[in-house]
């Protein structure tokens, strides 16, 4: 122990002992701990973050009525049926599906008000035993009930109306309509605007009521809905003073075709809220529509969430499945349409440029993506997320393509430069690219680690601490990603492949792509990403510094050229490379080319005999010493500076198992004695290596050789 | 001593019991405060840091595979919080400088006038990671590997931090003659 280390230990002890730490936990700390623990157990940190993000989105949606996905984005014409009412939205028009509100309002008031047959239905949608149907007389007509479970269909307590859907040639918010409803106040129709409102009004609603409910309404068509005891379903068109004739005709055609007497009210889907209809279609006997909207109202607890909703309708049932806006990458779901086709849909994060469905038989079906235009929503982490769908003959695999710039590629004409990066609100960022046959992304979400994801997966394939100085290799199919966090002085970072004879490919330089960062400790630097194809060996080099050996893949099994240990002494870099079960080779790469080379085979040591091989360089020799560590052997030298003796235990299944290999430099004119103190075994004398000019001698106890490489026999 | 409930998915789950937490606090937090003090040089900041780390560790305790490792998690959390709070504290220091000695006196600790004051002052000038590396090695007496783990860096990075920190201290204090090249 040197003086400084000794003084530091004493200083730390002295200072720390002077700290008067409370022995008992303060109550406020216990309270905070308890809150944190309960919160973590119940929801999990990630779930909290997701909920907060989507809640902010949903709340922001309500507060910012201009946030309309699909607005003026060239949506195609969509034909669907909402609340039992067929509707076709012309291309570019906004169509809002409000019918899910019927489940919420109906649940809190009169569930069976919307039953197609008038039979009461329970929460699970099954008919309630004993409830009267319209055909059974009085109960349905006068609201009397035979039992406590029967419905009182005529006594809907809607003060104004329940919206089914809205069709407009302008932006409409999800939570407002042109008419008075039980939601919010009516939205103002622009001068050139045309809107059609379809909703259920209380029994007895007259044209005068409709006029007062829907100001500036020009066209009306309304009537009682069968089985609702007089509830009035109305279609009302409201037009601005400067509406075009074409738009007027759209509204007029709809109102003219509207037949409330023919409407059969379906059971509304539960859980989801209103949504914008983005696309629609049918396959076999299933009609479907894709919506962007509120995936959960949070009525039964939790916060509202937003995302994609797929509504499918058959003759017997209507079903809605939803996928929330993703926290990262791609989120997806599938609906089997039953005719040999599968409807894939979901959401995609901001950096996803395209999605396709890769089919098992080959080929791919491109997905259609709709931007979720969310600018202006405060606190929304991803403001440019997308909603997508694809109709595929098979389920296949969802593949995402990220907005990226190429990083290094394994060619002789490397591509370098700044990596594509997206900064998230808060601390996070995403660096992405396409290499080694993968769409990859390095994701930093504010935690202690930087994580690598591939091909839209939500499971990281590897990570490293987000601190300058860290480096890792992550093996993937097709090669290995070398990721290094370097200080800002590093302006070039590359790997030159093919340093061993085992490499099949000719030597190639692969330049790293980079991005400026500030790490977890606040230090500036750069992320470097080098895609290393297949398997191989190489020298990595930052700026013009001394290169370091590297081999990949990092994971076993061993291959010829696999590096068991690497290091440098500031002047020479070295690597112990696997050749075969009886041979490990020491390779060196020196600042002075005369120090570069490779040693003869280093053979396994025995408990009574150490082995030595070396690269006899121009300015120094680099020596590899193999010693058995069965029994344990202390390997020390007073001739070497701290850290100059670098050792690795080899425990891989081979004849080298149980061997420790140490590497150390011997400068010209230097004599280094290595002491081997075996615990309980046969004593092994010191190994002495001396370099004098062009000659390096190795001496073991009781023997001496004058050679550039030698075995050191036991004493 | 924490009471372990049955394992869930191979993980030990600790119920949110304040008695258990109080025991954990008594057992581990005082040492955490001392560590935080050596990292920050400020007694009040050290207490806040250790308490925040304790709250976070307790909150995540059901994820620990063995609560006997609580001290290691707490140590890691203290170091991480110290590091991640650097930017904010940098800003605070700027504020203190602007506000002058009156404001500064309100938050700095009483100075220890004992021996090695010069070494203590020199330590305060080190980059925080170097200082943390020295504290983990020479106060916590961690192995290089464990210290690297606590700092969230590689073994070589840890060695480099210790070496650079030591060199900087030697360079700033005439009492310590620089050592020879140890690399």
């Amino acid at each position: 122990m040197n003086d400084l280390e000794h003084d530091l230990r004493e200083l730390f002890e002295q200072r720390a002992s002077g700290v008067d730490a409370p022995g008992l936990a303060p109550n406020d700390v216990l309270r905070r701990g308890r809150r944190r623990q309960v919160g973590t157990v119940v929801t999990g940190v990630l779930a909290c973050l997701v909920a907060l993000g989507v809640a902010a989105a949903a709340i922001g949606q309500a507060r910012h009525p201009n946030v309309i996905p699909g607005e003026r984005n060239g949506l195609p014409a969509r034909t669907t049926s909402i609340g039992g009412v067929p509707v076709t939205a012309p291309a570019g028009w906004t169509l809002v599906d409000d019918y899910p509100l019927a489940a919420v309002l109906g649940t809190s008031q009169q569930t069976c008000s919307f039953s197609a047959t008038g039979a009461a239905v329970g929460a699970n949608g099954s008919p309630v035993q004993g409830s009267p149907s319209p055909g059974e007389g009085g109960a349905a007509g006068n609201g009397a009930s035979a039992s406590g479970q029967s419905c009182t269909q005529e006594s809907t307590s809607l003060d104004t109306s329940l919206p089914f859907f809205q069709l407009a040639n302008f932006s409409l918010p999800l939570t407002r309509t042109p008419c008075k409803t039980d939601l919010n106040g009516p939205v103002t129709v622009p001068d050139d605007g045309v809107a059609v409102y379809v909703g259920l009004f209380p029994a007895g609603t007259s044209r005068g009521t409709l006029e007062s409910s829907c100001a500036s309404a020009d066209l009306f068509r309304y009537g009682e809905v069968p089985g609702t005891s007089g509830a009035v379903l109305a279609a009302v068109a409201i037009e601005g003073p400067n509406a075009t004739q074409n738009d007027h005709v759209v509204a007029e055609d709809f109102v003219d075709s509207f037949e409330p007497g023919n409407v059969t009210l379906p059971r509304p889907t539960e859980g989801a809220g209103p949504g914008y209809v983005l696309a629609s279609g049918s396959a076999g006997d299933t009609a479907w529509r894709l919506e962007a909207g509120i995936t959960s109202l949070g009525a039964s607890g939790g916060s509202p969430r937003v995302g994609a909703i797929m509504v499918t309708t058959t003759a017997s049932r209507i079903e809605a499945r939803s996928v929330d806006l993703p926290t990262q990458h791609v989120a997806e779901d599938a609906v089997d349409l039953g005719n040999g086709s599968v409807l894939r849909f979901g959401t995609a994060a901001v950096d996803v440029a395209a999605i396709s469905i890769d089919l098992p038989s080959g080929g791919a079906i491109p997905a259609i993506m709709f931007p979720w235009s969310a600018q202006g929503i405060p606190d929304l982490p991803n403001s440019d997320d997308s909603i997508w769908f694809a109709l595929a003959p098979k389920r296949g695999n969802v593949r995402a393509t990220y907005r990226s710039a190429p990083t290094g590629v394994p060619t002789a004409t490397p591509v370098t430069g700044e990596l594509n990066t997206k900064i998230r609100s808060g601390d996070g960022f995403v660096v992405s690219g396409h290499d080694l046959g993968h769409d990859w992304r390095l994701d930093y979400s504010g935690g202690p680690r930087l994580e690598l994801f591939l091909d839209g997966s939500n499971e990281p394939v590897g990570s490293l601490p987000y601190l300058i100085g860290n480096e890792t290799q992550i093996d993937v199919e097709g090669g290995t990603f070398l990721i290094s966090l370097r200080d800002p002085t590093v302006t070039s970072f590359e790997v030159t492949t093919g340093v061993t004879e085992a490499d099949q490919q000719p030597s190639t330089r692969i330049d790293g792509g980079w991005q400026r960062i500030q790490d977890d400790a606040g230090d500036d630097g750069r992320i470097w990403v080098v895609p290393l194809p297949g398997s191989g060996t190489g020298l990595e080099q930052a700026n013009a510094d001394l290169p370091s050996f590297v081999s990949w893949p990092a994971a076993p099994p061993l291959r010829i050229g696999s590096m068991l240990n690497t290091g440098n002494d500031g002047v020479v870099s070295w690597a112990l490379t696997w050749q075969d079960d009886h041979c490990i080779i020491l390779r060196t790469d020196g600042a002075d080319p005369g120090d570069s080379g490779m040693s003869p085979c280093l053979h396994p040591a025995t408990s009574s005999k150490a082995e030595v091989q070396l690269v006899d360089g121009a300015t120094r020799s680099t020596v590899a010493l193999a010693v058995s560590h069965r029994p344990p052997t202390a390997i020390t030298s007073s001739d070497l500076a701290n850290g100059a003796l670098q050792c690795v235990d080899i425990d891989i299944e081979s004849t080298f198992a149980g061997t420790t290999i140490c590497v150390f430099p011997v400068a010209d004119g230097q004599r280094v004695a290595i002491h081997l103190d075996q615990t309980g075994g046969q004593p092994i004398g010191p190994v002495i290596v001396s370099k004098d000019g062009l000659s390096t001698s190795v001496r073991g106890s009781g023997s001496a050789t004058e050679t550039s490489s030698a075995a050191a026999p036991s004493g | 001593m924490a009471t372990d409930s049955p394992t869930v998915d191979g993980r030990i789950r600790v119920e949110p019991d304040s008695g258990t937490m109080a025991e954990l606090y008594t057992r581990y937090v005082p040492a955490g405060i001392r560590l935080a003090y050596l990292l920050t040089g400020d007694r009040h900041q050290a207490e806040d840091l250790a308490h925040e780390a304790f709250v976070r560790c307790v909150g995540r305790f059901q994820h620990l595979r063995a609560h006997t490792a609580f001290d290691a998690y707490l140590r890691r959390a203290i170091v991480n919080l110290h590091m991640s709070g650097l930017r904010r504290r940098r800003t605070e220091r700027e504020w203190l400088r602007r506000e002058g000695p009156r404001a500064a006196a309100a938050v700095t600790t009483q100075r220890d006038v004992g021996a090695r004051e010069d070494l203590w002052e020199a330590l305060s000038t080190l980059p925080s990671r170097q200082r943390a590396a020295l504290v983990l090695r020479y106060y916590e007496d961690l192995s290089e590997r464990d210290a690297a783990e606590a700092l969230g860096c590689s073994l070589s990075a840890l060695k480099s931090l210790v070496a650079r920190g030591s060199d900087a201290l030697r360079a700033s204090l005439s009492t310590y003659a620089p050592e020879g090249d140890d690399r």
Side-chain angles (χ1 to χ4, degrees):
Chain A
M1 188 185 302
N2 58 42
D3 287 347
L4 176 62
E5 181 182 329
H6 176 267
D7 286 356
L8 279 172
R9 287 182 188 277
E10 284 202 344
L11 173 68
F12 289 150
E13 274 305 324
Q14 177 196 44
R15 291 281 173 165
S17 63
V19 175
D20 185 21
L24 293 176
N27 284 334
D28 70 305
V29 174
L30 292 183
R31 268 198 306 275
R32 287 166 57 204
R34 205 158 44 240
R35 278 201 301 271
R36 175 73 73 121
Q37 203 167 42
V38 170
T40 307
V41 168
V42 170
T43 60
V45 173
L46 183 61
C48 282
L49 292 174
V50 171
L52 286 173
V54 295
I59 292 165
Q61 185 77 19
R63 289 177 179 171
H64 296 266
N66 291 328
V67 179
I68 309 293
E71 178 189 7
R72 299 187 191 93
N73 66 352
L75 285 177
R78 290 136 287 162
T79 296
T80 186
S81 174
I82 299 175
V85 181
V87 57
T88 295
W93 282 52
T94 300
L95 176 59
V96 181
D97 173 10
D98 290 310
Y99 196 64
L101 291 172
V104 179
L105 299 176
T107 298
S108 62
Q109 297 171 17
Q110 304 296 331
T111 302
C112 61
S113 294
F114 308 104
S115 164
T117 63
V121 292
N124 62 358
S126 303
V128 176
Q129 291 293 322
S131 70
S133 68
E136 291 171 335
N142 60 20
S145 58
S147 74
Q149 290 181 316
S150 65
C151 62
T152 53
Q153 295 163 325
E154 80 285 7
S155 60
T156 175
S157 62
L158 292 170
D159 292 331
T160 49
S161 67
L162 172 71
F164 276 27
F165 63 83
Q166 304 164 73
L167 177 66
N169 67 348
F170 61 94
S171 302
L172 274 172
L174 277 181
T175 54
R176 299 178 71 192
T177 78
C179 294
K180 290 178 185 174
T181 67
D182 282 357
L183 300 174
N184 299 310
V187 69
T188 302
V189 176
D191 285 352
D192 60 350
V194 173
V196 174
Y197 173 81
V198 175
L200 193 70
F201 291 77
T205 294
S206 63
R207 180 177 177 116
T209 310
L210 292 176
E211 283 179 333
S212 63
S213 294
C214 307
S216 308
D218 296 320
L219 300 167
F220 302 91
R221 194 173 182 94
Y222 60 100
E224 293 185 10
V225 182
T228 60
S229 305
V232 171
L233 188 62
V236 183
I238 305 105
E239 298 180 4
N242 301 324
T244 66
Q245 181 62 20
N246 284 345
D247 289 349
H248 169 79
V249 168
V250 170
E252 190 175 47
D253 285 350
F254 176 82
V255 173
D256 285 349
S257 65
F258 179 64
E259 296 289 350
N262 294 337
V263 171
T264 299
L265 301 182
R267 177 176 171 268
T269 56
E270 293 179 0
Y276 299 96
V277 179
L278 302 180
S280 65
S282 63
D285 61 352
T286 304
W288 58 267
R289 66 173 175 267
L290 176 67
E291 298 179 1
I294 298 174
T295 54
S296 171
L297 289 163
S300 57
S303 303
R305 302 191 299 270
V306 295
I309 305 162
M310 180 63 75
V311 182
T312 52
T313 307
T314 63
S316 59
R317 64 184 301 183
I318 178 169
E319 187 178 15
R321 302 171 71 99
S322 61
V323 175
D324 293 342
L325 282 187
T327 52
Q328 57 184 13
H329 312 307
V330 174
E332 56 103 10
D333 196 359
V335 177
D336 192 339
L337 295 177
N339 64 341
S341 57
V342 178
L343 197 53
R344 304 296 291 264
F345 74 101
T347 56
V350 54
D351 58 328
V352 175
I355 291 174
S356 61
I357 310 300
D358 288 350
L359 302 176
S361 56
I365 306 288
I368 295 173
M369 299 181 72
F370 303 95
W372 178 282
S373 178
Q375 281 76 14
I377 294 183
D379 305 323
L380 189 64
N382 299 312
S383 58
D384 296 312
D385 295 339
S386 300
I387 288 173
W388 59 271
F389 82 98
L391 196 57
K394 300 282 184 186
R395 193 165 278 259
N397 294 317
V398 175
R399 176 183 172 81
T401 303
Y402 295 94
R403 305 176 203 282
S404 63
T407 59
V409 293
T411 66
T413 54
V415 177
T416 61
E418 195 167 359
L419 295 166
N420 179 55
T421 302
K422 182 76 182 180
I423 306 295
R424 287 194 178 134
S425 58
D427 277 345
F429 64 83
V430 177
V431 180
S432 58
H434 182 85
D435 291 285
L436 303 176
H438 300 280
D439 294 314
W440 59 265
R441 43 190 282 134
L442 275 169
D443 202 317
Y444 175 67
S445 304
R449 298 185 76 84
L450 187 64
E451 295 179 310
L452 178 69
F453 297 85
L454 295 185
D455 304 324
S457 169
N458 288 325
E459 289 297 322
V461 292
S463 67
L464 72 163
Y466 187 52
L467 289 171
I468 304 297
N470 281 284
E471 181 170 308
T472 192
Q473 290 180 39
I474 300 174
D475 297 335
V476 303
E477 189 178 340
T480 297
F481 283 97
L482 171 63
I483 301 167
S484 189
L485 307 184
R486 297 287 180 132
D487 66 63
T489 62
V490 176
T491 56
S492 74
F493 188 79
E494 66 198 32
V495 172
T496 303
T497 68
V499 299
T500 72
E501 62 282 359
D503 288 304
Q504 302 293 315
Q505 303 297 325
S507 180
T508 301
R509 196 185 82 186
I510 307 174
D511 286 11
W514 55 270
Q515 182 53 246
R516 289 187 183 86
I517 58 168
Q518 189 174 57
D519 74 2
D520 208 20
D523 293 336
D524 292 326
R526 290 187 183 195
I527 294 175
W528 290 91
V529 180
V530 188
L532 303 169
S535 61
T537 61
L539 283 165
E540 71 172 62
Q541 186 167 29
N543 294 339
D545 298 345
L546 185 67
S548 300
F549 284 93
V550 61
S551 70
W552 66 95
L558 287 175
R559 296 164 178 79
I560 296 175
S562 290
M563 291 176 186
L564 304 172
N565 198 20
T566 61
N568 73 77
D569 58 22
V571 179
V572 171
S573 282
W574 54 263
L576 293 168
T577 59
W578 177 264
Q579 195 69 17
D580 60 41
D581 199 31
H582 297 276
C583 177
I584 288 173
I585 290 176
L586 173 69
R587 295 171 194 274
T588 60
D589 188 89
D592 183 331
D595 289 334
S596 302
M598 56 186 283
S599 75
C601 275
L602 178 69
H603 298 298
T606 66
S607 59
S608 60
K609 182 184 174 189
E611 292 283 334
V612 178
Q613 291 294 356
L614 57 87
V615 176
D616 197 4
T619 69
R620 61 179 54 203
S621 287
T622 305
V623 184
L625 167 68
V627 179
S628 171
H629 62 247
R630 294 174 184 170
T633 303
I635 305 169
T636 57
S637 174
S638 57
D639 298 324
L640 294 171
N642 284 341
L645 186 65
Q646 301 182 58
C647 302
V648 61
D649 292 340
I650 311 291
D651 283 317
I652 50 179
E653 198 170 322
S654 68
T655 55
F656 283 97
T659 302
T660 297
I661 301 179
C662 297
V663 178
F664 56 93
V666 181
D668 194 14
Q670 192 183 11
R671 174 186 178 277
V672 174
I674 306 292
H675 301 279
L676 310 172
D677 298 318
Q678 205 173 57
T679 306
Q682 191 175 352
I684 302 176
V687 175
I688 301 167
V689 184
S690 304
K691 179 168 177 59
D692 183 13
L694 297 178
S695 168
T696 299
S697 66
V698 178
R699 287 184 173 83
S701 174
S703 71
T705 56
E706 195 78 24
T707 175
S708 61
S709 63
S714 69
Chain B
M1 187 71 182
T3 304
D4 297 341
S5 64
T7 57
V8 178
D9 296 334
R11 294 170 179 174
I12 291 172
R13 193 169 182 128
V14 174
E15 299 303 328
D17 172 72
S18 56
T20 303
M21 267 189 280
E23 289 169 11
L24 283 173
Y25 182 98
T26 304
R27 178 176 296 185
Y28 298 113
V29 173
I33 292 174
R34 285 190 280 272
L35 167 64
Y37 172 66
L38 294 179
L39 293 174
T40 63
D42 183 294
R43 203 163 303 186
H44 300 298
Q45 201 175 69
E47 200 164 309
D48 289 347
L49 192 61
H51 283 168
E52 178 62 25
F54 174 74
V55 167
R56 293 188 185 198
C57 283
V58 164
R60 303 173 70 171
F61 201 48
Q62 73 273 15
H63 296 307
L64 302 189
R65 293 194 177 276
H67 73 75
T68 51
F70 190 87
D71 57 341
Y73 283 90
L74 183 67
R75 183 190 306 122
R76 177 80 186 261
I78 288 171
V79 173
N80 279 346
L81 280 173
H82 172 57
M83 296 299 174
S84 61
L86 281 178
R87 272 172 285 184
R88 180 174 55 78
R89 286 197 293 278
R90 236 177 253 143
T91 308
E92 287 172 355
R93 280 199 294 270
E94 289 298 321
W95 180 82
L96 287 172
R97 268 195 285 275
R98 285 200 306 274
E99 290 297 304
R102 188 187 58 81
V107 293
T108 51
T109 54
Q110 186 179 358
R111 295 172 72 83
D112 188 330
V113 293
R116 301 186 183 88
E117 185 66 33
D118 51 349
L119 183 54
W120 183 248
E121 286 186 356
L123 266 171
S124 68
T125 66
L126 290 184
S128 59
R129 292 174 70 199
Q130 291 180 15
R131 177 176 175 147
L134 292 173
V135 169
L136 291 171
R137 286 285 286 129
Y138 301 139
Y139 172 68
E140 290 286 316
D141 214 16
L142 298 183
S143 69
E144 288 182 330
R145 192 169 299 280
D146 290 345
E149 172 72 17
L151 256 178
C153 67
S154 66
L155 191 58
S156 59
L158 185 277
K159 289 177 179 174
S160 170
L161 288 170
V162 171
R164 280 188 288 160
S166 301
D167 289 347
L169 291 177
R170 287 192 188 97
S172 63
L173 299 171
S174 56
T175 41
Y176 302 101
E179 282 191 350
D181 182 11
D182 61 352
R183 284 180 287 182

